[in-house]
Amino acid sequence: MLRMPRFELLEPTTLEAALSALAERPEKSMVIAGGTDLLPNLKHELFTPERVVSLARIASLRSVRELDQGWLSLGAMLKLEEIAAHETLRRRYPALAQAASLVAGPQLRTMGTLGGNVLLDTRCQWYNQTYFWRQALGFCLKKDGTLCHVVEGGSKCVAAASNDTAPALMTLGAELVIVGPAGQRVVRIDDFWLADGAANKKLDPGEILVEIRLPPTTPGHRGAYGKLRMRDSIDFPLLSVAARVDLDSSGKVSHADLVIGALQARPVRIKKLDSVLAGVQTGGDAWKTAVSQAAELAYRQCHPMPNVPGDHEWRREMVPVYVRHTLESAVRGDGPVHGL
Amino acid sequence: MSAREIHGIGAPFGPAQPGAPENREFALIGKPTAKIDGLAKATGALQYADDIQLPGMLHAKTLRSPHAHARIRSIDVSAALALPGVHAVISGRDLPERYGVIPWTQDETALAVDKVRFIGDPVAAVAAVDEDTANQALRLIKVEYEPLYAYFDPRESLVRHDPVIHEDKKDGNISKHVELVFGDVEGELKASDLVVEDDYTFHGTTHAAIEPHCAVATQAADGLLTVWSSTQITHYVHRALAKVLGLDPARIRVVQPALGGAFGGKSDPFSLEFCVAKLAMITGRPVKMLWTREEVFYAHRGRHPMQLHYRTGVTKDGRIRAVDARILIDGGSYSSFGLVTTYYSGQLLTGPYDFPTYRFHSTRVFTNKPPCGPKRGHGSVQPRFAFEVQLDEVAERLGLDPIELRRRNFQGGHTRTVNGQRITSNGFLKCLEEVERASGWQQRRGKLGRGRGLGIAGSMYISGTNYPVYPNEMPQAGIQIAAERSGRVTVFTGGNDIGQGSNSMVAYIVAEELGLDLAQVRVVAADTDLCPVDLGAYSSRVTFMVGNAAIDAARKLRALIVEAVAAEWKVEQARVRLINGRVIDMQDSARSISSAQALQITEARHDTLGSTGSYNTPKLGGDYRGGTIGASPAYSFTAHVVEVQVCEETGRIRVERCWIAHDCGRALNPMIVAGQMEGSAYMGIAEALLEEHGVNRFGLHAGPSLLDYRIPTAIDTPELAARIVESLDPEGPYGAKEAGEGPLHPSIPAISNAVFDAVGIRLRHLPFTPGKVLEQLRTARAMTQGKQSGQVSRC
Ligand SMILES: Cc1cc2nc3c(=O)[nH]c(=O)nc-3n(C[C@H](O)[C@H](O)[C@H](O)COP(=O)(O)OP(=O)(O)OC[C@H]3O[C@@H](n4cnc5c(N)ncnc54)[C@H](O)[C@@H]3O)c2cc1C
Ligand code: SF4
């Protein structure tokens, strides 16, 4: 078995204690939630924290709370399984519950948290490997090296944002509540990402993600999540599609949104979607045509790279297929879409 | 009774005629019975190699080459040795003696001497107080390499021989070449009404046994060396240790603890066994080495990638006239079992169909990749894939039903193959019939609508061979039985139970023969100090050979018991019957004693009780060089029908169901046989659709983890329906033949054939990735443009 490197583990019971534990040596400390991403990464020596601060004993981080004006607050430490099974979420935010239900496998979903999923490190076949393996290759620029092996000679890391919930949260207009030494800040999840695979999140050392807030949805809200992977369990996405379709009372699309994951350092929002979907009556031929146009838009805007394992040309071919199915499934309300 | 004698197929009591009603008289054989170690496994009580903890035990780790091909200029271990907690560091020069399973091709050393041949090749080993210290020490070892040109493409190794991967090889980078011709192949091809010719590719796959390799060694003060290892061939490890360490084999004990799967991946002697032994000898302390999953991928010995070219000539009514094969085998960096693989790639194709003429031309080359070796269905899964797909094309071109085509070419039982192999019982027709009926073939094939299809394939496999790897005249399998007055009977077997249930099989046989309760029988296995030699768990030989040896030993002991009890009762021996833990008088039901009492009577008459038994194959095989390789005392036969759903939008193939009919001679325990059949089919389907063991452009393993090497989970596994066919082989134990490897073969070609039925494309290149399927579908559409409506099955 690969060995777990040594670190000091602290398990504070309050957020304040956690923040001060981090504040002592922010650059050399890391937060652990479920540990399902962090621990394998530590074994691969991708991070070498001296101190690891667990959030597992902070009860306040595990609640679902209704806020003013129909907003909903989800504690960062809610387990993915809890998100997937939560009745309110399944009804009001189907794309999110579906995305959570498709993360990894059952065991990992009972350990892995929503916050940890949002903050998942980007992934790449040249990076998520042991020290020996990476060293045999001369490392890569995300960690210990100077070259990128995905884009040969490239000077920018394009490791893929592979967290399933991120695209769904983006379609829902989620906000992240982050606390740090300087106090609390609230960021729109859209503004949280950087286009750099080496560090794709605007989270400073010493900061903790405490809540994910969701704005209200209308009764006409439809959503679905589609995930491409080789096995029907365990695997990270080779491509993922979060779809939002808001319908007005007559069944016409008032607003639609599509965010694609596992392509590059940040989830990708499909541009000009409303130009093909808005105003279209769902169900009929016009809807079919509009969905095909949306699929075509996505195909043109998405360019999977050989960052995650798997045939990237096939992943590209799957963009319109998964977009089409996920949009249709959103309107029908029978997501998630996977294993096609 | 001599070891070579055949025991017959019937129950131990009553006449033994095939199909005779007295077959019902088995007490245990043929019944679904739990494995004897099942509870211990389920409760976690069973001890695997890594469970072994000895006082003062050190932990060892291996330094591996980061280069695919390089000369070692120097190794400096001084800094590692100086690290507190480090007890010893060894490198290639400490264990320079070569080994290898096949005596003629020994080209491995425990640690690289002067040269490394793939990324992951072991270079040095450290023993330290704990794993972390050992790992830390590895990073302090300085190795200076001079990189050499590395080969990743077998076609290049075929023609380029500078630099050579193994300097002392006569044929450059060629590991083994075999060409065998049986009859006038060219003439028959010319005279054929139809010749189908094509190229096929088999990618590499590995075993992915859940237990990683682990070994523990300790040397006693008197010099006796004990090595526990997760091996599937204790005997070869024993021999190799003696050779490499320069020790008297009588001063080495090798023990195989419970094993968490092997599938061929634990057949070779491995670097870690020599390293722990040497480190234990140097430090005077027990030493353990447990490989990481990544290291298991480097050790590999998995299925050889092959590039195959086949030509099959047939008459217009579908009879095969000639088969011609040309195969390039990518061996990776060492020989391992490669000599046998090269022969098997041709020798094992000559059934269940009759080939009037046959030629194969197989070449194994070295490349700078993890070494290939035996994986379930060793050497024959790849050619079987190519050939069964080609047969399907023959049927298509002739307008014949693919099952009918196979039936027409059936070779029959009790016959000889074109390459001189003796076929005994052959239940292949019954296998075809079973899967044909169970799958509803006649009613459903071709009628399931676009996107869904059925495919068939057949195969045969060996039940061990009479080629004992190293030439010798001694038995291939031995058994020793000790019985005592409590009624306890202990069976000692050299056979390796690797999860397939061979220890249980031995217990069932001895209990059956001696009329014991299963709980009275203990099995001590795979311990070279305690057990007679067996050649190990490979080539599907254990049930056949160890089973026969167990019958042999048990019958000798039974004869003593029957004689003693008959004398005691003053009755004829024929009246004494051993059954269900008792000994009874067949003519006087009042007279009955427990088997313990019977053993006491026997022990009083004959002294301490025991017996031995053994098995050796009869003389078999063709009378030509290599004619004994692949010559088996009995062949198993299999047919699969696979039902697939192909999504033409994504290119994904889903295996919905797989019907597996397998002729195992007799199912000694149908539950275990069915488990082997299902497990085999599962593994084959996984190889076709998900798994790929390859290196990237740097020669580095593309993803040495169970996340990236995708073995199917439970929900990725189709419904598997095992249908056991019993042909009662005249030489197998109670008529049994193998069941562990044969049932893997047809699943892969059957998928390709089912895809043809579903969407009309022939998949000839593994793995069947969705990208490839889409590509072929596009090509097919382009070719039929205009003719068809362009109908596409959606998911
Ligand atoms: C075999 C396997 C398969 C997987 N498959 C998938 C998959 O299909 N899809 C997918 O999305 N993920 C997958 N994962 C990754 C992982 O299981 C999930 O993303 C999970 O949600 C991570 O949550 P966690 O609580 O375990 O995070 P952790 O591992 O505890 O943390 C992840 C990162 O976030 C930081 N962090 C966590 N919580 C906070 C917080 N509240 N504030 C500040 N920093 C924080 C940690 O420091 C760490 O850097 C897989 C993992 C494995 C091992
Ligand atoms: S994208 Fe390039 S730099 Fe980033 S992890 Fe992969 S190989 Fe390294």
Side-chain angles (χ1 to χ4, degrees), chain A residues 123-127 139-143 147-151 156-160 197-198 307:
Chain A
R123 296 191 60 88
C124 174
Q125 58 173 316
W126 306 99
Y127 167 72
F139 302 107
C140 80
L141 64 81
K142 181 162 159 80
K143 177 69 184 157
L147 283 174
C148 175
H149 306 295
V150 172
V151 183
K156 198 163 141 197
C157 174
V158 292
N307 43 11

Side-chain angles (χ1 to χ4, degrees), chain B residues 355-433:
Chain B
F355 290 8
T357 66
Y358 178 47
R359 170 170 63 199
F360 72 91
H361 177 292
S362 294
T363 310
R364 183 184 193 263
V365 295
F366 292 115
T367 51
N368 294 107
K369 298 192 271 193
C372 299
K375 176 177 166 183
R376 203 172 197 175
H378 181 193
S380 85
V381 168
Q382 306 94 319
R384 181 59 61 183
F385 151 67
F387 183 67
E388 291 286 330
V389 173
Q390 185 151 92
L391 266 191
D392 227 59
E393 196 163 346
V394 167
E396 175 209 343
R397 303 262 293 265
L398 293 175
L400 280 175
D401 178 306
I403 292 186
E404 175 55 22
L405 176 85
R406 286 169 171 84
R407 230 177 235 135
R408 283 190 194 176
N409 286 289
F410 177 55
Q411 68 190 165
H414 303 282
T415 181
R416 213 161 264 285
T417 65
V418 70
N419 54 338
Q421 317 292 23
R422 185 197 72 170
I423 302 288
T424 51
S425 65
N426 188 338
F428 182 62
L429 278 189
K430 184 87 172 93
C431 293
L432 283 178
E433 204 182 299

Side-chain angles (χ1 to χ4, degrees), chain B residues 592-645:
Chain B
S592 153
I593 57 177
S594 70
S595 42
Q597 286 169 308
L599 285 174
Q600 288 158 19
I601 292 168
T602 316
E603 193 175 331
R605 277 184 180 262
H606 292 287
D607 284 339
T608 301
L609 291 176
S611 69
T612 63
S614 60
Y615 176 80
N616 216 345
T617 49
K619 195 172 154 32
L620 295 168
D623 191 15
Y624 52 86
R625 187 156 178 221
T628 59
I629 305 185
S632 177
Y635 294 85
S636 74
F637 298 90
T638 315
H640 288 188
V641 166
V642 163
E643 181 167 345
V644 298
Q645 178 73 42

Side-chain angles (χ1 to χ4, degrees), chain A residues 30-38 40 55 76 80 102-104 108 111-113 115-117 119-120 162-164 203 207-209 227 234-237, chain B residues 707:
Chain A
M30 285 186 86
V31 168
I32 185 167
T36 61
D37 180 44
L38 186 69
L55 306 182
L80 292 165
L102 294 185
V103 172
L108 288 156
M111 281 306 289
T113 64
N117 194 257
L119 298 174
L120 181 81
S162 304
N163 35 3
D164 281 302
L203 188 76
E207 286 191 315
I208 295 177
L209 169 65
K227 176 169 178 173
I234 299 182
D235 291 348
F236 280 95
Chain B
L707 181 60

Side-chain angles (χ1 to χ4, degrees), chain A residues 243-270:
Chain A
R244 170 182 194 147
V245 183
D246 287 346
L247 305 179
D248 63 20
S249 52
S250 66
K252 283 204 181 106
V253 178
S254 59
H255 167 63
D257 194 14
L258 269 176
V259 178
I260 315 292
L263 294 175
Q264 44 182 273
R266 49 170 299 163
V268 174
R269 168 163 286 121
I270 300 306

Side-chain angles (χ1 to χ4, degrees), chain B residues 37-84:
Chain B
D37 53 0
L39 264 182
K41 267 185 190 163
T43 56
L46 213 59
Q47 283 215 349
Y48 295 83
D50 186 42
D51 292 324
I52 296 170
Q53 301 290 347
L54 298 173
M57 188 173 80
L58 301 174
H59 294 266
K61 290 281 171 194
T62 305
L63 180 73
R64 292 173 183 276
S65 165
H67 296 283
H69 197 191
R71 215 171 288 292
I72 299 176
R73 284 229 196 86
S74 65
I75 303 184
D76 178 1
V77 302
S78 52
L81 258 180
L83 186 73

Side-chain angles (χ1 to χ4, degrees), chain A residues 45 133 231-232 314 324, chain B residues 139 649-650 701 711 716:
Chain A
E45 301 178 54
W133 195 100
R231 290 182 289 194
D232 289 340
W314 179 63
R324 206 169 52 237
Chain B
R139 295 203 185 160
E649 279 185 289
T650 63
H701 192 290
I711 59 178
D716 302 302

Side-chain angles (χ1 to χ4, degrees), chain A residues 75-125:
Chain A
M77 289 298 288
L78 283 164
K79 306 282 182 181
L80 292 165
E81 200 53 60
E82 293 171 312
I83 301 289
H86 200 280
E87 271 313 316
T88 310
L89 290 174
R90 287 160 62 113
R91 198 165 12 94
R92 280 161 53 182
Y93 307 99
L96 173 64
Q98 291 170 20
S101 79
L102 294 185
V103 172
Q107 294 91 335
L108 288 156
R109 286 194 297 274
T110 50
M111 281 306 289
T113 64
L114 178 62
N117 194 257
V118 170
L119 298 174
L120 181 81
D121 191 17
T122 53
R123 296 191 60 88
C124 174
Q125 58 173 316

